[in-house]
Amino acid sequence: MNEQARRTIASYTTYQEAERAVDHLSDQGFPVERVAIIGQDLRLVEQVTGRMGKGGAALRGAASGALPGALIGWIFGLLNWLDPIVSGLLLALYGLVFGALVGALLGLLAHVAQGGRRDFASVSSMQPSRYEVVADEAVADEAVRLLAGLPGGTGTDTSSGAWKGGPAVT
């Protein structure tokens, strides 16, 4: 992790704008390895995709069990010395069926065990409210100067703030 002092050189509402700014810096020959894009003010968004009944829970379980079952069966089949291709494919098929059945059973049991507390399916994602482009203090002024030439604006100028190391969201 980089512990060098960094300064925010621009702030954007979308990742695409921040990415465009860093791309512009790269096109100008700026040392972009001294730049980071940081997502700020993260929030968890859970988008509900529909109702989840017993059949849906079993289907999701079958889908999540089929692939691991097929892969394990294929690996065991390849260990056969006499005919590894045929036995690999055959055991992969058996593994797929067995994994789907076990997955469906476990998905159904997990759904029933919840007792109706979560009868919906959803997809979760983390969404920042803004993206800050930061640069090492030694090159921040040059980055601000180069971003001034970016067509369409440079975002919200926050060049007076300082930032001290930390993980970058890429």
Side-chain angles (χ1 to χ4, degrees):
M1 183 155 26
N2 188 0
E3 290 298 324
Q4 186 166 350
R6 289 188 165 180
R7 189 171 80 199
T8 300
I9 57 174
S11 183
Y12 300 95
T13 56
T14 66
Y15 179 78
Q16 289 76 19
E17 291 172 318
E19 186 178 43
R20 184 172 149 249
V22 174
D23 188 49
H24 178 74
L25 290 173
S26 178
D27 292 345
Q28 302 300 312
F30 185 82
V32 291
E33 62 276 1
R34 300 183 76 178
V35 173
I37 299 173
I38 302 172
Q40 295 288 339
D41 300 329
L42 292 176
R43 62 186 176 152
L44 174 68
V45 177
E46 185 173 8
Q47 179 61 49
V48 177
T49 58
R51 292 184 53 80
M52 176 68 74
K54 293 177 182 172
L59 187 60
R60 280 180 171 248
S64 65
L67 183 61
L71 289 174
I72 291 170
W74 178 68
I75 289 170
F76 279 128
L78 289 179
L79 298 176
N80 184 345
W81 289 84
L82 299 176
D83 195 2
I85 301 297
V86 172
S87 63
L89 292 176
L90 187 60
L91 284 177
L93 178 64
Y94 289 153
L96 182 128
V97 171
F98 182 75
L101 289 174
V102 170
L105 181 62
L106 290 176
L108 181 62
L109 289 175
H111 179 73
V112 170
Q114 289 181 355
R117 284 189 309 249
R118 189 170 167 94
D119 286 342
F120 63 90
S122 64
V123 177
S124 297
S125 65
M126 298 292 280
Q127 296 177 351
S129 65
R130 72 181 189 282
Y131 296 89
E132 292 184 354
V133 179
V134 299
D136 291 349
E137 188 67 44
V139 295
D141 290 333
E142 176 68 10
V144 170
R145 185 185 69 73
L146 290 172
L147 283 178
L150 179 65
T154 61
T156 306
D157 181 23
T158 55
S159 57
S160 62
W163 181 78
K164 202 64 171 149
V169 176
T170 56

